[in-house]
Amino acid sequence: MSEYKFVYGNKTYHFKDLKDLMAKATPKRSGDILAEVAANNEEERVIAQMRLSEVPLKEFLNTALIPYEQDEITRLIIDEHDKKAFEPISNLSVGEFRNWLLSDNTTTKTLQAVKDGLTPEMVAAVSKIMRNQDLIMVAKKCEVITKFRNTIGLKGHLSTRLQPNHPTDDVMGIAASTLDGLLYGNGDAVIGINPATDNVNQATKLLKLLDEVISKYQIPTQSCILTHVTNTIECIEKGAPVDLVFQSIGGTQETNSSFGFNLATLKEAQEAALSLNRGTVGNNVMYFETGQGSSLSANANFGVDQQTCEVRAYAVARKFSPLLVNTVVGFIGPEYLYDGKEISRAGLEDHFCGKLLGVPMGCDICYTNHAEADQNDMDNLLTLLGVAGINFIMGIPGSDDIMLNYQTTSFHDALYARRVLNLDPAPEFKAWLEKMEIFKSMDGYLLNNNIPPLFANSLSKVIGN
């Protein structure tokens, strides 16, 4: 890769290659400082952004940040690039691409037409020269719709993952959290459990539990146990009622190898889940989670900045047509995103980049207890992402995950976002909430402080039987 220069006044700035230029242009974050790839100061960062804006988009097709021969994700990005979809923007620079994205002439339909012509590196590059309001405005234009037992991602809608985790996988504890979440209108994206005991037998037990709840109350949603993809494949082979296959993914082959899978594993899992034919309105069967910093924490970033590595993970996601992709934005900790400002910026970047690539993005709006952040920061990011058209967020009792020990968004937070932004749950799920007299038919507010009559038999009783 050739050197990049930029002359400003009497000083010439040197960037050793495109990888270095991308990293130096990235808004400040602790992970890039830790990786020793960040700009040395704000002046160098701005100069790098100015130089990056001049780079032709075509250059990203000829310059691999991670060598083609060494990385299957690079090969995926290059081999499946759609030249015809790229043609309308092929003569633009990164800066011109930004202006094109912000133009009123660039509509939702326009963005959907070019998405397969975009590479993660192009999208990461343009995000680095955009303000927060730019990221929100363009993401708002995007619409990525997916389906399994309901329809997620429609404009004017906000879905939630009901996350009833328990530190001992106690059935009654999970039941209580599930009931609580449903009564607040949560759970249309998925009812998803992070198992405290992660093995095939426990995953199967929890899958059967959630399947019984969903079937008993005819809830138009899907379940997922967030176990390793190979465990889920084994669960399917043993006849467990699997709706969605989960896996955490990264943006380099080495990152994913450290997680214990590759692209072939994901293909096997997708085919196994599709063979069950459990969806009713669609067949998007995969659920992926990502997060800035995962490649660096695995010592697998190849000198690439953490945000670009993150966006490369969306190429993996796009390949397998997932129902849900969730950036767990503040979960890794302050070593990678130091405070509320860095977490908020990263969340807006991830959502923008994923949506532009055609990925159904949600966000776990969260932070660890040793980060310089608090719930007000999360309120801010929740509101910004709601305005930007996020597909889904998390719903957890009291914002506090008692199993994973981090802070995120609550059942009440989802109600707040839906009310102030006039957003609905997934249409099939909303109809169910109205049928069960949980929501009013007019404005979506809660109807009852107690369990509605049509929902009088508690989920704990169902599970207890």
Side-chain angles (χ1 to χ4, degrees):
M1 290 190 282
S2 59
E3 182 183 57
Y4 292 77
K5 299 179 182 180
F6 191 85
V7 179
Y8 187 74
N10 297 322
K11 187 174 181 180
T12 301
Y13 290 81
H14 297 265
F15 305 96
K16 60 184 179 181
D17 51 30
L18 185 56
K19 183 192 304 184
D20 183 45
L21 179 64
M22 291 272 283
K24 295 292 196 300
T26 306
K28 181 182 177 182
R29 64 207 57 196
S30 54
D32 289 337
I33 296 171
L34 181 66
E36 299 181 341
V37 300
N40 293 310
N41 50 55
E42 289 299 324
E43 180 179 295
E44 185 181 32
R45 181 171 290 110
V46 171
I47 294 297
Q49 291 170 343
M50 293 169 70
R51 180 64 182 90
L52 181 61
S53 72
E54 299 175 346
V55 174
L57 292 181
K58 288 179 178 178
E59 200 153 324
F60 293 97
L61 298 175
N62 301 319
T63 307
L65 304 188
I66 301 174
Y68 182 93
E69 298 77 15
Q70 296 180 22
D71 188 89
E72 68 173 355
I73 296 175
T74 299
R75 294 194 290 275
L76 171 68
I77 292 167
I78 298 300
D79 293 350
E80 300 202 358
H81 179 253
D82 188 329
K83 294 181 176 61
K84 184 176 180 181
F86 179 60
E87 184 60 31
I89 56 173
S90 60
N91 292 322
L92 301 181
S93 67
V94 172
E96 291 168 338
F97 182 42
R98 171 187 175 273
N99 295 338
W100 182 85
L101 290 170
L102 291 168
S103 169
D104 288 341
N105 294 324
T106 301
T107 63
T108 300
K109 186 176 180 180
T110 310
L111 293 175
Q112 290 172 337
V114 302
K115 64 180 176 60
D116 292 331
L118 300 174
T119 70
E121 291 83 359
M122 294 175 193
V123 172
V126 76
S127 75
K128 296 176 191 298
I129 64 168
M130 298 176 83
R131 291 172 57 185
N132 287 0
Q133 67 173 247
D134 299 338
L135 299 174
I136 293 168
M137 185 173 179
V138 176
K140 182 75 171 179
K141 297 183 188 182
C142 298
E143 186 177 44
V144 182
I145 300 169
T146 56
K147 300 181 180 183
F148 188 75
R149 291 200 188 98
N150 56 29
T151 306
I152 298 170
L154 292 167
K155 289 186 177 181
H157 294 261
L158 174 65
S159 296
T160 65
R161 170 187 161 191
L162 203 172
Q163 187 169 311
N165 292 346
H166 193 278
T168 63
D169 288 338
D170 178 74
V171 170
M172 295 302 290
I174 291 171
S177 294
T178 302
L179 173 60
D180 192 22
L182 289 171
L183 290 173
Y184 278 102
N186 280 246
D188 50 336
V190 64
I191 304 176
I193 300 173
N194 298 86
T197 304
D198 193 3
N199 57 51
V200 172
N201 289 337
Q202 185 66 5
T204 300
K205 176 183 175 181
L206 295 175
L207 283 165
K208 290 179 178 178
L209 183 156
L210 294 182
D211 183 60
E212 185 176 3
V213 171
I214 291 171
S215 300
K216 171 69 177 180
Y217 287 96
Q218 298 181 319
I219 307 171
T221 190
Q222 36 283 329
S223 69
C224 185
I225 305 305
L226 281 70
T227 187
H228 193 270
V229 60
T230 54
N231 285 344
T232 305
I233 292 172
E234 191 171 341
C235 287
I236 293 172
E237 291 171 347
K238 293 184 175 182
V242 172
D243 289 341
L244 305 183
V245 176
F246 168 80
Q247 184 55 49
S248 294
I249 60 174
T252 71
Q253 181 176 336
E254 281 197 19
T255 307
N256 293 331
S257 294
S258 75
F259 292 162
F261 76 94
N262 57 25
L263 297 181
T265 315
L266 296 181
K267 181 180 180 181
E268 178 186 357
Q270 182 188 37
E271 291 174 350
L274 287 171
S275 72
L276 300 180
N277 196 31
R278 290 174 58 83
T280 56
V281 298
N283 60 359
N284 299 113
V285 296
M286 306 299 282
Y287 174 22
F288 298 124
E289 287 192 345
T290 67
Q292 289 193 27
S294 60
S295 291
L296 176 56
S297 67
N299 195 28
N301 65 314
F302 294 89
V304 176
D305 68 271
Q306 68 180 38
Q307 189 246 347
T308 302
C309 284
E310 167 73 5
V311 184
R312 283 170 54 92
Y314 304 154
V316 177
R318 182 168 63 176
K319 170 69 176 175
F320 296 99
S321 304
L323 182 76
L324 309 165
V325 177
N326 176 35
T327 169
V328 192
V329 68
F331 184 72
I332 302 181
E335 299 84 0
Y336 304 96
L337 295 169
Y338 180 72
D339 57 16
K341 182 176 181 179
E342 291 187 11
I343 292 170
S344 294
R345 173 70 191 190
L348 293 174
E349 288 171 349
D350 294 351
H351 178 246
F352 161 85
C353 292
K355 283 288 188 67
L356 206 54
L357 289 168
V359 173
M361 290 301 298
C363 184
D364 191 342
I365 301 163
C366 63
Y367 63 100
T368 58
N369 288 307
H370 62 307
E372 290 295 321
D374 60 25
Q375 212 63 38
N376 286 327
D377 294 310
M378 301 306 102
D379 288 349
N380 294 343
L381 180 54
L382 168 61
T383 306
L384 294 172
L385 286 171
V387 172
I390 193 83
N391 278 25
F392 70 100
I393 61 170
M394 301 298 108
I396 295 177
S399 304
D400 184 6
D401 192 302
I402 59 174
M403 195 276 280
L404 293 173
N405 292 310
Y406 76 114
Q407 310 305 310
T408 181
T409 46
S410 71
F411 304 145
H412 305 77
D413 293 335
L415 282 179
Y416 150 77
R418 285 171 174 167
R419 287 178 179 179
V420 300
L421 299 173
N422 194 28
L423 301 171
D424 283 330
E428 300 89 344
F429 193 77
K430 181 185 178 185
W432 178 82
L433 291 170
E434 293 173 349
K435 176 184 175 182
M436 301 304 290
E437 299 182 356
I438 295 171
F439 272 17
K440 290 181 180 179
S441 59
M442 294 299 293
D443 57 16
Y445 279 38
L446 292 179
L447 178 63
N448 293 299
N449 291 323
N450 299 312
I451 300 177
L454 290 179
F455 204 53
N457 294 323
S458 72
L459 296 184
S460 59
K461 287 184 179 179
V462 175
I463 296 165
N465 291 332

